[in-house]
């Protein structure tokens, strides 16, 4: 599977890219996961945020967002669209997101709020759990950190 990867700040996104990534996020996080919550937030427009987009045949197949949190960098909104699941795309997406963290956010730890069913996936990437699981928008999550890259 050939994927074309982009890493862009908010101001660099075309209107089509912005619409497509936001539609994908609503489709996955609100509709598919049956979780009504305000999906769009100020992290999207933060001047330091980076949006990682993966395209297969000119169609968005994967997305993640990296946000500068001063003490750490947060990777969030990680998704692979249904047509690209089961093909190793999530692993490649995270490699690109971690690469963006390294390039733009230096040596700070990387954190994420993982849905607990994905803990093993993130642990394979070197993330470790911190704290206790908690409910976020009705779905169990766990904070995870990657301290060395």
């Amino acid at each position: 599977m050939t994927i074309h990867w982009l890493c862009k700040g908010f101001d660099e996104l075309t209107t089509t890219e912005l619409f497509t990534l936001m539609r994908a996020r609503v489709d996955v996080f609100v509709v598919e996961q049956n979780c009504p919550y305000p999906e769009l937030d100020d992290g999207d427009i933060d001047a330091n945020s980076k949006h990682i987009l993966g395209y297969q045949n000119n169609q968005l197949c994967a997305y993640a967002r990296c946000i500068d949190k001063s003490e750490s960098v947060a990777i969030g909104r990680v998704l692979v669209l249904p047509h690209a699941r089961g093909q190793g795309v999530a692993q490649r997406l995270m490699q690109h997101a971690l690469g963006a963290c390294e390039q733009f956010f230096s040596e700070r730890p990387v954190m994420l709020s993982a849905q607990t069913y994905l803990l093993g996936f993130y642990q394979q990437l070197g993330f470790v759990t911190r704290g206790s699981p908690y409910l976020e928008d009705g779905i169990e999550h766990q904070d995870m950190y990657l301290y060395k890259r």
Side-chain angles (χ1 to χ4, degrees):
M1 166 185 283
T2 300
I3 298 177
H4 175 69
W5 295 97
L6 301 173
C7 175
K8 294 186 171 189
F10 180 78
D11 291 339
E12 299 171 304
L13 294 167
T14 68
T15 54
T16 300
E17 290 167 341
L18 179 63
F19 174 80
T20 303
L21 76 85
M22 295 205 172
R23 181 178 60 193
R25 286 174 27 185
V26 169
D27 286 351
V28 171
F29 300 125
V30 177
V31 177
E32 182 180 321
Q33 295 182 355
N34 192 27
C35 189
Y37 73 103
E39 168 45 35
L40 309 178
D41 62 24
D42 291 338
D44 291 315
I45 61 173
D46 184 285
N48 293 321
S49 292
K50 297 298 177 189
H51 300 269
I52 314 301
L53 303 101
Y55 289 89
Q56 178 187 32
N57 299 324
N58 296 316
Q59 183 179 17
L60 185 70
C61 67
Y63 171 82
R65 179 179 76 178
C66 303
I67 299 177
D68 184 357
K69 296 284 192 178
S70 295
E71 299 296 318
S72 64
V73 181
I75 297 176
R77 305 303 201 263
V78 177
L79 68 84
V80 175
L81 289 161
H83 67 275
R85 292 180 187 158
Q87 302 173 51
V89 175
Q91 178 88 17
R92 292 162 62 193
L93 171 62
M94 285 302 296
Q95 289 169 351
H96 283 274
L98 290 170
C101 290
E102 183 71 30
Q103 179 179 354
F104 296 103
F105 304 109
S106 184
E107 299 286 324
R108 285 175 278 161
V110 178
M111 71 87 53
L112 53 83
S113 175
Q115 293 182 7
T116 54
Y117 81 95
L118 291 168
L119 292 179
F121 170 74
Y122 291 116
Q123 286 168 334
Q124 290 177 351
L125 295 169
F127 284 86
V128 295
T129 60
R130 185 164 149 189
S132 299
Y134 54 90
L135 285 180
E136 184 176 315
D137 301 313
I139 299 173
E140 190 174 65
H141 284 73
Q142 172 79 50
D143 287 342
M144 299 188 82
Y145 284 80
L146 179 64
Y147 294 100
K148 292 182 180 180
R149 297 189 292 250

